[in-house]
Every structure is written in C-alpha cells, then in structure tokens.
Amino acid sequence: MAEIVIVPTAADAGTLVAEEILALVRRTPDAVLGLATGSTPLPVYEALRARQGEVDLSQVRGFALDEYVGIDPAHPESYRNVITREVVEPLGLDPARVRVPNGSLEGIEHAGDDYERAIAEAGGVDLQILGIGTDGHIGFNEPGSSFASRTRVKTLTAQTRADNARFFDAVDDVPMHCITQGLGTILSARHLVLLAFGEGKAAAVAGAVEGPVTASLPGSAIQLHPHATVVVDEAAASQLKRADYYRYTWENKPAWQGL
C-alpha cells in the first residue's frame, strides 16, 4: 500500500516533498519530474524556491500532467503558462527541458502518442507530483478511466469544470476537453507523491488509499504502485480509519529511507 504521511499544514508538506526532490537531484542532476498544476502542489514549488541555491536545478527535466484542449496558449490559465509562471521561472529551470502536452487542435489526434514518446525518450519520470480531485481524479483522469490508459484526450466532467472555474471568469470559460497523462502513464513513474489538503479532499483521500481499487475512483490506482507516498494535512486525513497507524509508522521510519 501507499505510505501515508500526515503533517500539520500544507507548508509542512511542501517542505517535506521539496527535500525529497532536492535529494533526488543531488543524486541525479538531470532527474525527470512529473509536474502537477493547480493550488495543491504550490507549497512544494514554494519550498523549492526558498532553497533554490542549495542544488543546481538547471539540468532538471519536467513533464506536465495535462493541458486544456483548444485553449489559447497565451491564456494565463493554459498549463504551459502556469508551469512557466509557477515552476520554470521561479526555480530557474531550462524551459527547453520542460514539456507540456500539446493542446492545440492542430495535430491533437496524435498529440498523446507524441507525448508518450517524449517521456520514453527521457527515460521515464523519476518522481511524479500528484493532486487529487474531489471526485478522486488524478491528472485529468476522470472516474471510469482505465488503469492501462496512456496520454490521451478526455472530456472533463461538470464537477471538474466547476472546481476549476475559480481560475476563469466563469464556468463556461473552462474548456470542455483536455489532454492528460493516463493512469498507466502515471503508474509508470518510479515514485508517486500525492498531495491533498483541506477537508474537501478527505473523502477522496480515504477512498484512494483505504477503499477498493476501482476505476470509479481513479486515485485508488496508486495502491498498485510499488513506491507511492501520500502527504496530507490533518483536515485531508480526517476520514482515514487507520490514521493513528500511519502516524506511528512515520514516526518510527528509518531516516535513511526518505519518502
């Protein structure tokens, strides 16, 4: 099963995951990171920015999880812009080494295969950062997504569009389609780190780590991964039945093991 780490705040989670990323880059300067967008991973990126001088990040490579289809690349909420604004520029990454799925309507038929090829040519993802939606989706893999799925175009649910409307002027401005790494693509990463904060994510977290493995809750796919870490604050952990056990194992884990 995944390792569950319960921390007091989102900032504590960011510090913990940033340290794991820095340790990875010390070992592998051109490590490949899987980059999530949205508000959830921001504490990780902020913690990395605060420690930017400790490790040279210029050789790090990155692959974003997803992108909206048909969005104007100049739109501030295109994930290319979000990744540039929140990750590439603040951390001093080389923009040429960070890829985002191509959501342009031109060539969308083969954009998924192109992205899969690029990930394979990079040697795969070393550490994949993940958030989880209130309906249990990871990336833009909505309920019902196949655990074997690869990067492809998906139709966003009404709930996901409503959740993301806070980034747009209105829910009708949220694109209907996206291109996203599939669950099979995500499971191919060597280390998964899923973050969740707030009571609104508690049910999804509990279902993902303690419920049955089911396509109806895509986040439960992490139970199939040999090295998955779930880092949550107290609110997001509030529905976990075995929270005391998770705290006990984390407190007694050998320090050399890391996350």
Side-chain angles (χ1 to χ4, degrees), residues 57 74 105 118 153:
L57 301 176
L105 293 176
V153 173

Side-chain angles (χ1 to χ4, degrees), residues 137-213:
H137 73 258
I138 54 176
F140 271 139
N141 294 282
E142 302 285 20
S145 295
S146 167
F147 286 175
S149 57
R150 311 303 294 194
T151 304
R152 73 239 186 268
V153 173
K154 290 287 288 182
T155 301
L156 298 177
T157 66
Q159 181 174 344
T160 296
R161 294 181 75 215
D163 287 347
N164 286 5
R166 67 190 188 277
F167 300 115
F168 294 81
D169 293 333
V171 67
D172 289 342
D173 293 332
V174 181
M176 182 69 70
H177 298 95
C178 67
I179 178 169
T180 182
Q181 287 188 36
L183 293 176
T185 311
I186 291 168
L187 289 173
S188 296
R190 286 177 274 280
H191 184 190
L192 304 181
V193 178
L194 187 148
L195 301 135
F197 311 120
E199 190 173 353
K201 297 294 181 72
V205 168
V209 303
E210 292 182 338
V213 176

Side-chain angles (χ1 to χ4, degrees), residues 242-259:
R242 306 187 71 194
D244 289 342
Y245 170 72
Y246 305 141
R247 293 188 181 94
Y248 175 82
T249 55
W250 175 250
E251 290 168 359
N252 292 280
K253 182 178 180 178
W256 56 265
Q257 289 185 342
L259 281 184

Side-chain angles (χ1 to χ4, degrees), residues 10 13-15 17-18 21 40-49 91 129 195:
T15 299
V17 176
I21 292 172
T40 297
L42 289 180
V44 176
Y45 304 145
E46 291 166 0
L48 285 172
R49 184 165 62 248
L91 299 183
I129 301 170
L195 301 135

Side-chain angles (χ1 to χ4, degrees), residues 81-125:
N81 274 337
V82 172
I83 288 291
T84 299
R85 182 172 67 243
E86 296 178 352
V87 185
V88 174
E89 292 178 347
L91 299 183
L93 303 185
D94 180 354
R97 291 175 172 265
V98 178
R99 298 283 296 269
V100 178
N102 184 2
S104 171
L105 293 176
E106 183 178 354
I108 194 64
E109 297 88 350
H110 53 77
D113 291 340
D114 295 343
Y115 206 60
E116 287 288 327
R117 188 177 306 109
I119 293 173
E121 290 173 352
V125 173

